Amino acid sequence: MMEESIYVAGHRGLAGSAVLRLLQRMGHARVITASRQQLDLTVQSDVNTFFEARRPSQVVLAAATVGGILANAERPADFIRDNLAIQNNVIDACFRHGVRKLVFLGSSCIYPKFAPQPIPESALLTGALEPTNEAYAIAKIAGIKTCAAYNRQHGTNYLSLMPTNLYGPGDNYDPRGSHVLPALIRRAHEARVSGQSELVVWGSGTPRRELMHVDDLASACVFALERLNASDIGECINVGTGIDLTICEIAETVMQAVGYRGRIVFDTSKPDGTPRKVLDVSALRRLGWNARIALQDGIPSAYQDFLARYAKPDTTARPI
Ligand code: GFB
């Protein structure tokens, strides 16, 4: 890669930390980061001052307020306010300060609840959204449209990547706020070490989810920085594995990785969310990128991350 200065916004989150790890592994010497204490991305003047001082030539916008189905359902105002503010400020700062390429990260929940499966990029704005994450999805759709509008009006090179559900090192294991995979890893681990006979799984277990290791997303981001231009893609491009499983099957895979042999019980007071959202990943494949990390390999390594960060061997996980 040409030695660009790359600002990774959100480098402490799941996606941003994976991008940072990969750039560091590649020996990239000019990576720019700023902690939340150093830079509040919701404050426009601070974002402009930062860009003026650091002058990145490329930006990966991985900073966002994110969470699982319950966090989205309970805090829609936080999700729409924070994400609109962060992306507006960063995208406009990219334009004002001459950033050559921006990679904006969205989410597969931007597509209609009952989109055709696998979901092609053309399904955007063709139907009503899933209510549990509508606020977050509206913000991300606004981000796609903002990038597209700057490209159209100003000839910029801003790319919107839409990753499927992510997991991996640096995930959030908070029982109420997290996504399904880290939640089940933690709960299965705690059930095993405390000898519980049942594992609680939210909802009916029938929704299907496509899970991608975050190191694959990082590789797609670097691929986009190095090889893609906005003119190669439409307004957004899907990043996923193209493979999904039921929540029940995901729970069984987690139980196997954790070595827990109890019985699954379903808590149907919790929402199911979208029945299915597997991405059509053919467009990015045609451009030369593929996901590589199989779930059977990724889940055990995610469990090792959980153990290293939150649990002493053979004791219950510490409160997070
Ligand atoms: O991963 P998750 O929270 O988010 O939930 P979404 C996926 C499915 O797993 C739902 C079930 O059907 C949940 O009911 N599930 C089972 C659980 N047990 C659990 C558990 O213990 N915790 C959680 N969290 N789920 C999010 C969106 O949707 O996906 C965001 O809310 C974002 O906006 C993100 O797009 C990628 O896949 O339903």
Side-chain angles (χ1 to χ4, degrees), residues 67-70 72 107-109 132-133 136-137 164-166 175-176 178-181 183-184 187 200-204 207 209 247 270-274 277:
I69 192 164
L70 209 60
N72 270 268
S107 162
S108 58
C109 69
T132 52
N133 55 37
Y136 179 75
T164 189
N165 289 35
L166 301 169
R176 282 186 75 80
S178 66
H179 289 98
V180 60
L181 196 75
L184 291 180
R187 214 174 298 128
V200 177
V201 173
W202 294 358
S204 64
R209 289 294 181 272
I247 295 302
K270 297 290 195 305
D272 266 344
T274 303
K277 48 175 173 178

Side-chain angles (χ1 to χ4, degrees), residues 231-245:
S231 53
D232 299 328
I233 65 175
E235 289 188 340
C236 67
I237 191 157
N238 294 338
V239 188
T241 63
I243 300 165
D244 64 352
L245 294 173

Side-chain angles (χ1 to χ4, degrees), residues 17-35:
S17 62
V19 173
L20 182 62
R21 269 198 311 277
L22 179 54
L23 291 172
Q24 287 171 339
R25 243 194 344 263
M26 292 166 67
H28 205 291
R30 300 183 63 203
V31 183
I32 301 168
T33 60
S35 69

Side-chain angles (χ1 to χ4, degrees), residues 108-124:
S108 58
C109 69
I110 56 154
Y111 294 115
K113 174 166 184 157
F114 298 112
Q117 307 289 324
I119 311 175
E121 288 84 355
S122 59
L124 185 65

Side-chain angles (χ1 to χ4, degrees), residues 1-315:
M1 190 194 301
M2 233 175 67
E3 198 66 337
E4 305 262 5
S5 57
I6 306 178
Y7 169 40
V8 181
H11 72 288
R12 291 197 170 148
L14 176 65
S17 62
V19 173
L20 182 62
R21 269 198 311 277
L22 179 54
L23 291 172
Q24 287 171 339
R25 243 194 344 263
M26 292 166 67
H28 205 291
R30 300 183 63 203
V31 183
I32 301 168
T33 60
S35 69
R36 203 172 288 195
Q37 291 69 35
Q38 292 168 316
L39 174 60
D40 181 348
L41 291 170
T42 66
V43 180
Q44 187 174 27
S45 54
D46 291 0
V47 174
N48 277 313
T49 305
F50 175 80
F51 271 69
E52 177 66 38
R54 306 300 300 270
R55 300 232 155 247
S57 58
Q58 297 189 330
V59 172
V60 177
L61 177 43
T65 290
V66 299
I69 192 164
L70 209 60
N72 270 268
E74 289 178 343
R75 297 194 293 115
D78 294 357
F79 280 74
I80 196 162
R81 177 202 59 214
D82 290 356
N83 291 314
L84 284 174
I86 291 168
Q87 71 205 26
N88 261 347
N89 294 342
V90 173
I91 295 168
D92 191 59
C94 286
F95 172 61
R96 285 172 190 276
H97 301 283
V99 168
R100 280 196 334 104
K101 192 182 277 186
L102 164 68
V103 172
F104 167 69
L105 296 181
S107 162
S108 58
C109 69
I110 56 154
Y111 294 115
K113 174 166 184 157
F114 298 112
Q117 307 289 324
I119 311 175
E121 288 84 355
S122 59
L124 185 65
L125 292 176
T126 55
L129 297 163
E130 154 62 29
T132 52
N133 55 37
E134 188 184 58
Y136 179 75
I138 293 275
K140 290 295 184 181
I141 293 169
I144 296 171
K145 292 293 179 180
T146 306
C147 289
Y150 276 73
N151 289 344
R152 199 159 55 241
Q153 187 177 337
H154 299 300
T156 48
N157 198 9
Y158 301 163
L159 294 100
S160 293
L161 267 49
M162 296 303 116
T164 189
N165 289 35
L166 301 169
Y167 71 94
D171 219 334
N172 167 17
Y173 296 94
D174 174 73
R176 282 186 75 80
S178 66
H179 289 98
V180 60
L181 196 75
L184 291 180
I185 285 178
R186 177 176 175 158
R187 214 174 298 128
H189 172 82
E190 290 177 348
R192 179 174 65 75
V193 295
S194 61
Q196 290 161 34
S197 60
E198 291 180 342
L199 176 74
V200 177
V201 173
W202 294 358
S204 64
T206 58
R208 302 180 71 89
R209 289 294 181 272
E210 175 188 10
L211 298 172
M212 182 170 74
H213 195 283
V214 72
D215 287 351
D216 271 334
L217 174 69
S219 128
C221 287
V222 168
F223 178 81
L225 288 175
E226 289 180 338
R227 311 246 191 104
L228 294 185
N229 290 306
S231 53
D232 299 328
I233 65 175
E235 289 188 340
C236 67
I237 191 157
N238 294 338
V239 188
T241 63
I243 300 165
D244 64 352
L245 294 173
T246 65
I247 295 302
C248 192
E249 289 165 336
I250 291 169
E252 286 163 357
T253 314
V254 168
M255 286 167 64
Q256 212 169 7
V258 169
Y260 172 68
R261 292 197 180 75
R263 201 168 63 87
I264 293 177
V265 292
F266 296 102
D267 174 1
T268 50
S269 71
K270 297 290 195 305
D272 266 344
T274 303
R276 192 174 186 203
K277 48 175 173 178
V278 65
L279 292 176
D280 179 342
V281 291
S282 56
L284 195 52
R285 264 194 197 144
R286 272 197 302 278
L287 290 163
W289 185 88
N290 263 306
R292 295 190 183 283
I293 305 172
L295 204 56
Q296 296 87 317
D297 301 324
I299 289 183
S301 82
Y303 181 44
Q304 290 311 311
D305 171 66
F306 169 79
L307 289 176
R309 291 170 61 213
Y310 296 115
K312 295 191 188 110
D314 296 318
T315 65

